[in-house]
Amino acid sequence: MELFPIIPAGGILGLLVAIYMTMSVLKEDTGPREMQSIAAAIREGAMAFLNRQYRTIAGLAIIVAVLLAFLTRQYHTAIAFITGAFASALSGYIGMYVAVNANLRVAAGARKSLNKALTVAFRGGAVTGLAVTALSLLGVTILFYAFGGAVNPTRAPLNIVGFGFGASFVALFAQLGGGIYTKAADVGADLVGKVEAGIPEDDPRNPAVVADLVGDNVGDCAGRGADLFESTAAENIGAMILGIALFPVFGVKGIIFPLVALAAGIIASIIGMFFVHAEENQDPMAALNRGYIITSIIAMIFLYPISHTMLSGPGVNFIYFYGAGIIGIVLSFIFVLITQYYTSYSYRPVKEIARASITGPATNIISGVAVGFESTALPVIFISLAILGAYWLGQQSGLPGGGLYGTAVATMGMLSTAAYILAMDTYGPITDNAGGIVEMSGAPAEVRQRTDRLDASGNTTKALTKGYAIGSAALATFLLFSAYIDEVKLALNIKGNFPVDIGKPEVFVGAFIAAMMVFLFSSTAIRAVGNAAQYVILEVRRQFKEIPGIMEGTAKPEYGTCVDIVTRGALKEMILPGIIVVVTPIIVGLVLKAEAAAAFLMVGTITGVIVALFLNNGGGAWDNAKKYIELGNYGGKGSEAHKAGVVGDTVGDPFKDTAGPSLHVLVKLISTITLVLAALFI
């Protein structure tokens, strides 16, 4: 227990620094009145959507909590569920509030220098990263001790699995609803504004431009915040459950190790955040990478004494577990590099799509689909190597059954930089909004040039974070699958293995349904964007037709109407995909029982990870192929290649910002559902 104080210290320090960062951002200059009025419209639209979305989610969550209490006959499961749901929603709300106030200050800061704008944008993102990880850490810790962790530490982790389920539940709807909103607005704005009317992106004459800027926040701030909150919560609880079996060797240290590792990761991220600054002519991405490298190195250093203190025992060599943690940290680096290769226009895949655009939209689509499929290979290989390597190191440690715990330590290693990664992710929509505010307010060209450079780096960080999120999801779900098997063994009082025989008809059917569910969910999520986008397209066309003077700049579009239309459309369309994910694993478990539920969980994870990689990387590649053409390649803006690139980007938008990120949550949600209801599947 020597390192126990690090847990509350890391969580509290994370919240204190988040408060400091918030105050630091809010005291910055807000710029001229033109910027302030645009930012106010974005802020009003984003907060209105989030309030309406959370009211919808709250109603669904209360129903689920009541059903949980009824089905499990355990009050603590329902309490943990509501607590996890509330903390997840709170972290998303905090991140959104700071982001929609930081965008204006970044735009104003860009009038002075690149470094001023960069610093404000990153600190705004850091609030989300720190709030999410700190609330997750403190929430799990408080529930662990509230449910008897000090007296019965081997039982308490099983009592708090509802916390992960609650976090996953909110994350799914937050990510899904936000993703539908942002892409419906984006697609509607692009197709009518860029393609039909021929006006630039973020042009104030486009009635959907404010809705598009609002969407950047609700999808990439609130949605991704809830996603990674759920990641840290579910993975901590899963690792704690695996630590129960090691209680005779490590005592309570093996159970609370994940909490100590996350607390140390928060501290490492805080240190790395203060190294983010750039010269006027420096690439902003270099400054962000410097902070990430420093965070990772410090996390590696911290992990050594933590492993030595908490994972040493009779006949057990901690150094092997430390090596497993290093594997997790290195895997996050590798995912960043792979994602960058497939989504940056500096490399072959994106250039290939751009070149294919010369002959029209059809060849652009064909090339983009091919790149998306190809991009699944390297991540799967490296995830597999990481799992095998961590498992082997755990086996070599001298700890009986240490292989699985090795994979748990690797997962904790990967999550140790989560606060910094999420700060980089939220930095993306803040800089995107700042560019829109600068464009719409008619700021000088050099100011727009600075925000364009920040926006370019923000596009990269958003893509990299998606890669990190799906990589951590893959490790986490293997961990949560193992935790599910452990809980089934405890319920059945099995001391050895619990075999999952895919040759049994009911087990095969459970696996088959899981693969189908991933595609069905993706279909409903993508269709939802199309449905909601149609409302926007029709409204933008109506305004161009019925409001004279918009194109000449003498009349102001009705921005609020588009915002309201997208809000109603997104909230309506998110219900069906969400229900599919929640209901399907429950039906499989209740009808086909525990072994089939295990097959459902494993195949659902595998299929979900691969499809998410395809959607995320394919969509990101289409987006940057369009940007590569806009830089002047293959005819530049207005060319036939550019029109084909816009069509490809429109197809890729719901891939990379709606269905793909939502699948990160799906693979963890089915894990937490089966974990919570495992006893009912016996």
Side-chain angles (χ1 to χ4, degrees):
M1 296 292 284
E2 295 92 338
L3 291 175
F4 169 75
I6 290 179
I7 301 172
I12 293 170
L13 181 62
L15 292 179
L16 290 175
V17 175
I19 292 170
Y20 165 76
M21 296 283 194
T22 301
M23 295 172 64
S24 172
V25 168
L26 294 180
K27 74 177 183 180
E28 294 291 341
D29 177 30
T30 56
R33 184 175 300 173
E34 293 83 4
M35 286 185 173
Q36 293 176 22
S37 63
I38 297 164
I42 297 170
R43 181 168 59 251
E44 182 181 337
M47 299 311 294
F49 173 81
L50 198 63
N51 289 334
R52 287 171 66 169
Q53 184 188 44
Y54 277 177
R55 283 198 297 270
T56 303
I57 296 173
L60 295 171
I62 291 170
I63 294 171
V64 172
V66 172
L67 289 174
L68 273 178
F70 175 76
L71 290 172
T72 62
R73 307 289 182 182
Q74 295 175 334
Y75 73 91
H76 51 70
T77 301
I79 292 174
F81 174 86
I82 289 295
T83 305
F86 174 78
S88 179
L90 177 61
S91 62
Y93 195 94
I94 291 170
M96 171 76 88
Y97 175 80
V98 176
V100 295
N101 282 281
N103 54 16
L104 170 62
R105 289 157 175 84
V106 172
R111 298 161 67 228
K112 300 174 183 175
S113 70
L114 178 76
N115 185 58
K116 169 61 73 174
L118 169 69
T119 303
V120 175
F122 186 74
R123 290 191 173 186
V127 173
T128 298
L130 293 172
V132 164
T133 49
L135 286 171
S136 174
L137 174 65
L138 293 173
V140 172
T141 303
I142 291 169
L143 280 184
F144 174 74
Y145 283 97
F147 290 161
V151 178
N152 189 2
T154 60
R155 183 63 201 171
L158 299 172
N159 291 337
I160 63 175
V161 291
F163 185 88
F165 182 19
S168 300
F169 186 85
V170 169
L172 179 71
F173 285 102
Q175 181 65 72
L176 188 58
I180 293 169
Y181 185 109
T182 183
K183 289 303 104 180
D186 194 7
V187 168
D190 280 358
L191 284 182
V192 184
K194 285 185 179 180
V195 177
E196 295 182 10
I199 58 179
E201 187 170 3
D202 295 333
D203 192 298
R205 293 172 292 177
N206 192 328
V209 69
V210 171
D212 187 12
L213 293 170
V214 168
D216 293 329
N217 294 289
V218 300
D220 288 322
C221 294
R224 194 85 70 254
D227 179 0
L228 286 182
F229 176 93
E230 176 258 345
S231 289
T232 55
E235 289 151 32
N236 273 323
I237 294 168
M240 293 169 76
I241 290 173
L242 291 184
I244 293 172
L246 309 179
F247 187 77
V249 180
F250 296 140
V252 73
K253 292 178 182 178
I255 297 173
I256 67 168
F257 168 80
L259 303 179
V260 174
L262 180 59
I266 292 173
I267 296 171
S269 296
I270 290 170
I271 296 171
M273 286 171 181
F274 284 98
F275 283 86
V276 176
H277 52 81
E279 301 298 327
E280 188 64 31
N281 295 320
Q282 187 180 2
D283 180 5
M285 201 64 219
L288 298 172
N289 285 336
R290 178 173 59 248
Y292 179 44
I293 291 170
I294 290 171
T295 297
S296 299
I297 291 172
I298 294 172
M300 290 181 185
I301 293 171
F302 284 171
L303 193 59
Y304 184 87
I306 292 171
S307 301
H308 182 271
T309 303
M310 306 193 75
L311 301 181
S312 294
V316 179
N317 189 343
F318 79 94
I319 200 69
Y320 290 99
F321 288 118
Y322 176 66
I326 297 299
I327 284 178
I329 296 174
V330 171
L331 181 64
S332 65
F333 258 106
I334 291 172
F335 257 85
V336 165
L337 295 175
I338 293 172
T339 306
Q340 192 164 359
Y341 174 73
Y342 279 105
T343 59
S344 170
Y345 50 62
S346 301
Y347 303 103
R348 187 265 309 170
V350 170
K351 290 181 178 179
E352 179 182 296
I353 298 172
R355 187 168 58 251
S357 303
I358 296 172
T359 49
T363 45
N364 170 286
I365 300 298
I366 291 169
S367 181
V369 170
V371 166
F373 280 133
E374 177 195 323
S375 72
T376 64
L378 286 176
V380 168
I381 290 170
F382 280 105
I383 290 170
S384 302
L385 289 174
I387 290 173
L388 290 172
Y391 192 91
W392 181 83
L393 286 172
Q395 287 181 315
Q396 300 306 306
S397 67
L399 176 69
L404 281 178
Y405 202 73
T407 63
V409 176
T411 306
M412 292 303 104
M414 192 167 189
L415 283 176
S416 63
T417 56
Y420 190 91
I421 290 286
L422 188 51
M424 285 205 299
D425 180 70
T426 309
Y427 160 91
I430 291 173
T431 56
D432 193 350
N433 270 200
I437 292 169
V438 166
E439 178 75 22
M440 293 181 71
S441 64
E446 66 268 18
V447 178
R448 179 70 212 212
Q449 189 176 37
R450 290 184 184 125
T451 56
D452 280 348
R453 290 169 62 195
L454 294 175
D455 188 21
S457 63
N459 285 332
T460 302
T461 60
K462 287 188 288 186
L464 299 183
T465 309
K466 292 186 182 79
Y468 173 87
I470 196 59
S472 65
L475 282 186
T477 45
F478 181 77
L479 170 64
L480 293 169
F481 174 80
S482 303
Y484 168 76
I485 295 296
D486 277 3
E487 188 156 349
V488 170
K489 285 160 61 178
L490 283 171
L492 295 174
N493 199 25
I494 296 174
K495 299 300 182 185
N497 293 323
F498 176 71
V500 180
D501 184 358
I502 200 70
K504 292 181 180 178
E506 64 272 22
V507 178
F508 178 80
V509 169
F512 211 7
I513 291 172
M516 173 276 294
M517 182 199 66
V518 170
F519 286 93
L520 180 61
F521 170 82
S522 300
S523 168
T524 56
I526 292 169
R527 182 178 291 112
V529 172
N531 291 341
Q534 289 178 32
Y535 308 142
V536 183
I537 291 169
L538 293 174
E539 173 60 23
V540 174
R541 286 175 178 168
R542 182 195 69 79
Q543 291 196 32
F544 278 147
K545 182 180 179 180
E546 296 181 6
I547 303 177
I550 285 183
M551 292 302 293
E552 293 76 22
T554 57
K556 186 177 180 181
E558 297 172 357
Y559 300 123
T561 305
C562 284
V563 170
D564 188 60
I565 285 173
V566 188
T567 298
R568 286 186 278 111
L571 294 178
K572 174 186 173 184
E573 298 290 343
M574 77 177 185
I575 301 297
L576 177 60
I579 289 175
I580 288 172
V581 179
V582 174
V583 170
T584 307
I586 297 175
I587 292 175
V588 168
L590 292 175
V591 175
L592 301 178
K593 299 304 178 184
E595 195 175 345
F600 177 94
L601 181 52
M602 181 59 75
V603 174
T605 296
I606 293 169
T607 310
V609 166
I610 291 175
V611 174
L613 287 167
F614 163 72
L615 295 172
N616 286 338
N617 293 333
W622 265 314
D623 187 1
N624 279 329
K626 178 201 68 176
K627 287 183 170 62
Y628 184 70
I629 296 170
E630 288 176 343
L631 291 175
N633 300 288
Y634 303 117
K637 291 184 178 181
S639 66
E640 292 303 313
H642 182 236
K643 292 177 182 177
V646 171
V647 172
D649 178 38
T650 303
V651 174
D653 272 342
F655 280 29
K656 68 181 175 65
D657 289 324
T658 307
S662 297
L663 284 173
H664 308 166
V665 188
L666 177 147
V667 296
K668 289 171 285 189
L669 179 58
I670 60 176
S671 297
T672 53
I673 289 174
T674 51
L675 199 56
V676 168
L677 301 178
L680 300 179
F681 301 160
I682 303 303

